Amino acid sequence: MGPDGGMAQLPWRATAWELRPMEYPAVRGFPVRRGRLLAPGWWWSATTGRLIGYGSAAMRDALMLLDRDPQVVGIACRPVEFVWEEHGRLVSHAPDLAVALAGGAVHLVDCPGRGGPSRRLAGRARVVEACAREAGWEHRFAVAADPVVTANARWLSGYRHPRCSGGISAARLRRAFPVPTALGTGALRLGDLIATLPAVYHQLWHSLLTMDWDRPLNEETLVTASPTGRRRGGER
């Protein structure tokens, strides 16, 4: 879909190398289904500084974890749709997400949920995977993360926006956490907890501060300053 909202359908092999999926809007939305506990929604991305759509709880969680990953530098929702003929009929599939990595790789990601991909989705994914390889990309399914990792990310995601940084510099944070230090102790070194905890959470999300993500986050969690943190799109 172009900037003017017009759709363009082109031969894959003729155009794959020219595509810039991170710049495209979604070619297909998500329906609202009666009885579903989660309706489609929007995720504000700290990576891009923009809203990204999602259509399920599994996709929202996958989007959240990708947004936190320091190797991810770009994310787009359904920027391309593949259309082909199969057994005399047209078939189409738009992978849920496109992800750009720091090394230049592009991944197309489908988010099937805990039950894994259906037979129908797996069959369509094989075609998309073959197309992706021709462009030097990769197709994969998002795997449900450990519940503790997901819970930690869900809490810290509430502090991902730049407004939560509290104006506390990276140098001050590194002085507060020079070695593995209890989260509460380091936050107190910075000042009043009401003001400093959001900044600590913000930088844990942005990888300026590190911790063991496999353990539940609490005031005793050991936190250490990392040499560098990733500059996010939302912090420009």
Side-chain angles (χ1 to χ4, degrees):
M1 184 183 296
D4 60 352
M7 301 288 285
Q9 192 175 88
L10 302 166
W12 174 252
R13 288 178 177 171
T15 58
W17 296 101
E18 301 174 3
L19 294 176
R20 298 185 298 278
M22 302 308 141
E23 300 178 14
Y24 303 149
V27 296
R28 188 194 300 177
F30 299 97
V32 177
R33 294 189 173 94
R34 187 185 295 263
R36 287 288 183 92
L37 295 178
L38 178 76
W42 296 96
W43 176 268
W44 183 84
S45 170
T47 301
T48 66
R50 299 193 299 269
L51 291 171
I52 300 174
Y54 62 81
S56 67
M59 186 177 175
R60 180 200 59 199
D61 286 351
L63 182 53
M64 173 181 68
L65 294 170
L66 288 166
D67 197 27
R68 194 205 68 80
D69 188 338
Q71 294 302 310
V72 173
V73 296
I75 311 173
C77 171
R78 289 186 167 179
V80 293
E81 181 178 51
F82 296 84
V83 182
W84 66 94
E85 188 174 318
E86 191 173 281
H87 305 304
R89 64 187 181 90
L90 285 180
V91 179
S92 64
H93 180 63
D96 290 325
L97 297 167
V99 180
L101 303 182
V106 174
H107 290 185
L108 300 177
V109 183
D110 275 306
C111 308
R114 292 183 180 178
S118 64
R119 181 180 299 179
R120 178 184 178 188
L121 177 57
R124 295 183 177 186
R126 283 192 289 270
V127 176
V128 173
E129 183 178 5
C131 292
R133 280 200 303 268
E134 290 183 344
W137 299 358
E138 179 180 327
H139 174 273
R140 60 186 175 88
F141 291 111
V143 178
D146 178 87
V148 173
V149 173
T150 302
N152 287 339
R154 191 170 292 132
W155 175 263
L156 293 176
S157 71
Y159 300 89
R160 66 190 184 277
H161 196 277
R163 64 174 171 262
C164 296
S165 65
I168 299 176
S169 69
R172 283 185 63 197
L173 284 159
R174 291 192 178 101
R175 287 196 296 270
F177 296 95
V179 296
T181 304
L183 185 151
T185 301
L188 276 172
R189 290 175 182 170
L190 293 166
D192 185 272
L193 288 179
I194 298 298
T196 62
L197 274 175
V200 173
Y201 293 149
H202 177 76
Q203 296 300 355
L204 281 168
W205 175 271
H206 287 278
S207 302
L208 181 69
L209 300 175
T210 62
M211 68 179 195
D212 183 354
W213 282 78
D214 294 324
R215 294 175 178 270
L217 179 67
N218 57 55
E219 68 274 10
E220 297 300 324
T221 296
L222 294 179
V223 174
T224 314
S226 60
T228 59
R230 179 157 74 99
R231 188 182 182 187
R232 303 287 185 136
E235 296 186 3
R236 285 181 222 161

